[in-house]
Every structure is written in structure tokens, then in C-alpha cells.
Amino acid sequence: MNTAEFIRIYIISRYFYLIVFSIGIIGNVFNLIVFFRKKFRSNSCTIYFIAYSINNFANLTIGLLIWSLTLGFNFDWEYKILSYCKIRRYFTHVNFLLSSCLLTMASINRYARVRQAQLTQNRHRYILLCEHRTTYIILILTILFCFIFNIHIPIFFEINQDECYARDGLYRLLFDIFFLIFYAICPPVLMIICNIATMIDIRSIKRLVHPTVSRREYNMIILVISQSVFNVILTIPFTINKFIYYAFKEPVRSENAKLANSITL
């Protein structure tokens, strides 16, 4: 066992993943405790963060914990049982996409709230977008979209050379491009656009004689922007490395390539 393999299996897969998993679970528990408080439930953006935290539980369990067991403890069902391979990969990709979509919806929600506070000509549209009923409808449609959008995964994923991934050939190429566009490009671009527009509008609100955005609203806007920034920073390296790792497939994976894939996971 060389150094890269030792670091990948013992340090990253066994210990680092489990530490991140534990911290993530604790952090999401605290998130839910905070967001379920009465003073936060009145804010429609909180609905997205509650759904985001619940989705993170699934992401940490189905994604990180099982991946740690697979790589670090030889829990290799994913490479032996086809149905397990298809189901786990399907729900993992649903979780990935749903996380980005929820943060994008939260960014749009905060932009609408700021536009509403500016007393613009179409203010009633922004009020409707921030209502709880509208938020629940958008949330349900977003979840359905993520499940339907990834329905091709349990159909075309297979086990090949001890890897559970997209079928070789045209589908693999299309899937890698699809993943790059809809996970690493579209959600981050939308989040960046909405958050920049929100910050520009906030500056104009501060010049109003009677600003209608409370301190709590400002804090929620800052939370959305910070979460979006971290999501972009952490998602893009993983997505790009995943694209390179699978699109330019080597006959035998080098340990350095496997280590880089483990680190960016």
C-alpha cells in the first residue's frame, strides 16, 4: 500500500469523512432547532432552509456515510448489487441537485423580499412570491423536479470494472456534460445573479426615508448569500474533478486520481 492509497483509505475515507459526517449532523440539528422557532417561522425563506437542512441529513447519510463505509471499510454492495448501485446513485444525485435548487430558490425569495421593500410598480408580484403558500408550492415542485430530472440514473447506471456509474458510450459523455451544466454551472450562476441583484437593491433601500426591511430580514439575506457562496466554492471543484475523473477514463485508475476524487467529494 503506497502513501496515496493509505491517505485515501485510512485518513480520508475512514476518519475525515466520519468527522465531517458527525459535524454535519450536529450542525443540521441546530439549524432545525433555530429555524423551527416561532420568530423565524414567520419568514417564508425559512421554509427553504428547513427543507435544505432535512435534505442535508439525507445527503450526509446516503452520500457521505455510505461512501465512507464503501471506501474505508470495504462495504462494497455498490460494486456487487446492481439494484443497490442504481438506487443509491439516484438518491445521491437527487440530493445534490435539490441542495443547489433550494439555495437558488432561497436566493430568489430574498431578492423578491428586497424588491417588495422598494415599493416597486409590480410589488404585488413580489409579495405573492414571498407568501408561505407560494413557497410551499415552489418547494413541492422543486422536489418533484429533482426526482423526475434524475430518473434516467436508475435506468442507465451499471456496475463496470468495480465502479457504479453511467453506462459506457454516448450516455456517459452526455451524463458528464449534464452533471457539469446542471450542478456546477446553472445553480451557481443563478445564485450569483440573484445575490448580486439583492445586494445592489439593499444599497438603494438604505437610502429610503422609511426602509421596510427589518434587521432579521437583513440577517436572513446575509445567511442566504453566505450559504450560496460556500455552496459554489465547495460544489465547483467536486463537479469539475468528477467530470475529468470519469470523462477522461484511464484503463487503470491511478492512486493520485482516486485520492483527488476522494478529497473533492
Side-chain angles (χ1 to χ4, degrees):
M1 180 181 294
N2 58 34
T3 304
E5 187 178 5
F6 177 82
I7 294 172
R8 178 176 64 86
I9 294 176
Y10 289 98
I11 296 179
I12 295 178
S13 300
R14 286 196 179 184
Y15 300 111
F16 181 70
Y17 284 174
L18 292 179
I19 291 171
V20 173
F21 170 79
S22 302
I23 294 172
I25 292 295
I26 294 170
N28 281 288
V29 168
F30 280 112
N31 284 345
L32 291 176
I33 291 173
V34 170
F35 290 129
F36 271 115
R37 294 173 66 183
K38 185 176 181 180
K39 66 178 182 180
F40 285 104
R41 289 203 307 269
S42 60
N43 192 317
S44 61
C45 190
T46 302
I47 297 170
Y48 292 120
F49 276 106
I50 290 173
Y52 180 71
S53 297
I54 293 172
N55 184 65
N56 281 342
F57 279 114
N59 215 345
L60 287 166
T61 305
I62 299 173
L64 192 61
L65 178 60
I66 294 181
W67 199 235
S68 174
L69 296 175
T70 301
L71 297 180
F73 299 92
N74 295 321
F75 184 77
D76 54 356
W77 284 9
E78 185 164 310
Y79 308 138
K80 293 181 178 179
I81 304 174
L82 183 59
S83 58
Y84 179 87
C85 155
K86 290 175 178 286
I87 292 171
R88 180 185 173 272
R89 290 287 177 154
Y90 174 62
F91 282 105
T92 300
H93 285 80
V94 169
N95 292 146
F96 285 160
L97 184 59
L98 185 57
S99 291
S100 296
C101 287
L102 289 172
L103 284 179
T104 303
M105 293 301 107
S107 300
I108 294 172
N109 180 281
R110 291 302 83 195
Y111 172 73
R113 178 65 186 91
V114 172
R115 293 292 292 173
Q116 172 189 336
Q118 284 185 306
L119 305 176
T120 55
Q121 184 177 1
N122 297 318
R123 185 170 182 263
H124 64 283
R125 296 181 182 177
Y126 297 111
I127 294 174
L128 179 63
L129 194 60
C130 292
E131 288 181 352
H132 279 64
R133 181 175 178 273
T134 307
T135 304
Y136 281 119
I137 292 173
I138 294 173
L139 175 61
I140 293 170
L141 292 176
T142 301
I143 294 172
L144 289 175
F145 166 78
C146 291
F147 274 96
I148 295 171
F149 201 63
N150 288 287
I151 197 65
H152 55 91
I153 291 176
I155 300 172
F156 293 107
F157 266 52
E158 59 185 21
I159 299 173
N160 185 18
Q161 296 180 354
D162 290 333
E163 281 189 339
C164 173
Y165 198 63
R167 182 180 299 171
D168 279 329
L170 179 61
Y171 174 72
R172 172 167 290 199
L173 177 62
L174 292 176
F175 177 77
D176 289 331
I177 296 172
F178 158 87
F179 192 89
L180 188 65
I181 292 173
F182 291 100
Y183 289 77
I185 297 177
C186 289
V189 168
L190 288 173
M191 280 186 259
I192 290 169
I193 291 173
C194 289
N195 289 325
I196 290 175
T198 301
M199 288 187 289
I200 292 172
D201 288 341
I202 285 176
R203 294 186 65 181
S204 65
I205 286 177
K206 288 181 178 180
R207 293 194 292 266
L208 293 175
V209 177
H210 298 290
T212 56
V213 177
S214 65
R215 173 57 58 183
R216 191 178 300 163
E217 294 281 1
Y218 278 122
N219 291 338
M220 186 63 71
I221 291 169
I222 293 171
L223 177 62
V224 170
I225 293 174
S226 61
Q227 286 284 341
S228 300
V229 170
F230 278 115
N231 182 265
V232 171
I233 292 173
L234 297 176
T235 300
I236 290 179
F238 161 69
T239 311
I240 293 175
N241 182 72
K242 181 178 181 297
F243 178 78
I244 295 172
Y245 184 81
Y246 287 106
F248 303 98
K249 185 176 181 181
E250 302 172 359
V252 179
R253 298 287 187 201
S254 68
E255 277 302 324
N256 290 333
K258 292 179 180 179
L259 177 60
N261 190 55
S262 300
I263 292 172
T264 55
L265 178 64

